[in-house]
Amino acid sequence: MRVIVDFTVVPVGTGVSLSAYIAEVERVLQRSGLHHELHANGTNVEGDWEEVMAAIRGCHEALHAMGVPRIHTDIKLGTRSDREQRMAEKVASVRARMA
Amino acid sequence: MRVIVDFTVVPVGTGVSLSAYIAEVERVLQRSGLHHELHANGTNVEGDWEEVMAAIRGCHEALHAMGVPRIHTDIKLGTRSDREQRMAEKVASVRARMA
Amino acid sequence: MRVIVDFTVVPVGTGVSLSAYIAEVERVLQRSGLHHELHANGTNVEGDWEEVMAAIRGCHEALHAMGVPRIHTDIKLGTRSDREQRMAEKVASVRARMA
Amino acid sequence: MRVIVDFTVVPVGTGVSLSAYIAEVERVLQRSGLHHELHANGTNVEGDWEEVMAAIRGCHEALHAMGVPRIHTDIKLGTRSDREQRMAEKVASVRARMA
């Protein structure tokens, strides 16, 4: 099952700056080989359900290994059975409506 | 890795009443054997990461099988490396602070 | 406009225990007079849009006043134009489907 | 209070294609004058708490006016008391860590 996901990892019990942890999240995603896009409030990623979930789990493991004691993650996740959709199409179809 | 999750499944492209679909989500969770609690805006569930994620995937599969063409799901997920925590404790520790 | 909300306040840059902050969130909601229910991963609240949003803003103000430097909050929010719905009904209608 | 938000509006009880509704969300944000960025799974927006929340409420009103009977919206929201932060900085500080 193909999935399009937005997720935000929030380290708890560390300092106020989170960029070192988000950079690690990006590294985990790069190693995963999954198509992903960092944005101001999270990361979009798409692919096979199991591979995407394994990547998010890998982010939790990597951050705990960096010493983060507690992690809160938000995931917004979409699946479709009517047709396959790509992340790039989603933005393009909205822009086409606005032209 | 143990995880505490809140998730909300939102069927898209169906009618305005969602209770039949949320009842199916509940059935999937009951069959999973995982500890779970329905609330007004979602379901709390706790257990092993892989088992919880498999249950959520099972919900998507069950709803698509019911004819839902598109599903949006929100997941809030917490992991800790400092200690193991249960859902019941989380509410109890807040209530203790308010006594 | 009436709204049914689930929200989770995640203090960032503090210690690993969050129960003192969640207890403060509960106090803000009690003072608001809005109907609310604490659960393992957040709080459900319902009422007029402006009053609910003012209460969530009040939670941010109260936590910053306690010294929390950064707050991440998730809100899941539902509105309907077809009919008025209460939180209690949502759980009841799912349970009725499962009986 | 300044806020950085990501939000996703999910129309319920309509057809499976949501792009016409997301285009309307974009129009509401353009009229608001707030800085915003559409991405594959939502829209990022930043500004004064009251103005951002009024814009999100405006999206609900506009979609109900288009005939959407039920709307589910996810909001991820961040505030800071230690310093003011902009959306553009958040991505830049992660990228700087990865260089």
Side-chain angles (χ1 to χ4, degrees), chain A residues 1-6 33-37 44-53 76-90, chain B residues 56-57 60-61 64 68-73, chain D residues 40-41:
Chain A
M1 185 161 41
R2 190 172 178 75
V3 68
I4 298 182
V5 161
D6 169 69
L34 293 163
H35 176 220
H36 62 283
E37 293 169 1
N44 292 318
V45 55
E46 64 184 339
D48 171 71
W49 179 293
E50 295 303 329
E51 290 176 40
V52 170
M53 289 305 179
K76 295 186 285 197
L77 179 156
T79 61
R80 299 183 71 155
S81 59
D82 58 331
R83 67 180 186 86
E84 198 171 290
Q85 190 181 39
R86 302 268 160 177
M87 271 161 39
E89 270 176 77
K90 293 180 74 176
Chain B
I56 296 175
R57 179 177 173 155
H60 275 244
E61 290 168 341
H64 283 311
V68 180
R70 185 173 185 169
I71 304 169
H72 171 94
T73 290
Chain D
N41 290 300

Side-chain angles (χ1 to χ4, degrees), chain B residues 4-6 8 16 19-20 22-23 26-27 39-41 44 74 76 80 82 90-91 93-94 97-98, chain C residues 4-6 8 16 19-20 22-23 26-27 39-41 44 74 76 80 82 87 90-91 93-94 97-98:
Chain B
I4 298 182
V5 161
D6 169 68
T8 302
V16 72
S19 56
I22 306 310
E26 282 295 293
R27 278 181 215 108
H39 63 83
N41 290 299
N44 292 317
D74 299 316
K76 295 185 285 196
R80 300 184 69 155
D82 59 332
K90 292 180 74 177
V91 172
S93 64
V94 174
R97 296 274 188 176
M98 303 196 66
Chain C
I4 298 182
V5 162
D6 169 68
T8 302
V16 73
S19 55
I22 306 308
E26 282 295 293
R27 277 181 215 107
H39 63 85
N41 290 299
N44 292 318
D74 299 316
K76 295 185 286 196
R80 299 183 70 154
D82 58 331
M87 270 161 40
K90 292 180 75 176
V91 171
S93 64
V94 175
R97 295 272 188 177
M98 303 195 67

Side-chain angles (χ1 to χ4, degrees), chain C:
Chain C
M1 186 160 43
R2 191 171 177 76
V3 68
I4 298 182
V5 162
D6 169 68
F7 75 106
T8 302
V9 173
V10 185
V12 173
T14 62
V16 73
S17 172
L18 303 181
S19 55
Y21 303 112
I22 306 308
E24 181 66 14
V25 165
E26 282 295 293
R27 277 181 215 107
V28 171
L29 289 171
Q30 284 178 355
R31 283 195 296 267
S32 76
L34 293 163
H35 176 220
H36 62 282
E37 293 169 1
L38 178 68
H39 63 85
N41 290 299
T43 303
N44 292 318
V45 55
E46 65 185 338
D48 171 70
W49 178 294
E50 296 302 329
E51 289 176 40
V52 170
M53 289 305 178
I56 296 175
R57 180 179 173 153
C59 294
H60 275 244
E61 290 168 340
L63 266 58
H64 284 310
M66 287 172 78
V68 179
R70 185 173 183 168
I71 303 169
H72 171 95
T73 290
D74 299 316
I75 305 172
K76 295 185 286 196
L77 180 157
T79 61
R80 299 183 70 154
S81 58
D82 58 331
R83 67 180 186 85
E84 199 171 290
Q85 190 181 38
R86 302 269 161 179
M87 270 161 40
E89 270 176 77
K90 292 180 75 176
V91 171
S93 64
V94 175
R95 296 222 190 284
R97 295 272 188 177
M98 303 195 67

Side-chain angles (χ1 to χ4, degrees), chain B residues 73-92:
Chain B
T73 290
D74 299 316
I75 305 172
K76 295 185 285 196
L77 180 156
T79 62
R80 300 184 69 155
S81 59
D82 59 332
R83 68 180 186 84
E84 198 171 291
Q85 189 180 38
R86 301 269 160 178
M87 271 161 39
E89 270 176 76
K90 292 180 74 177
V91 172

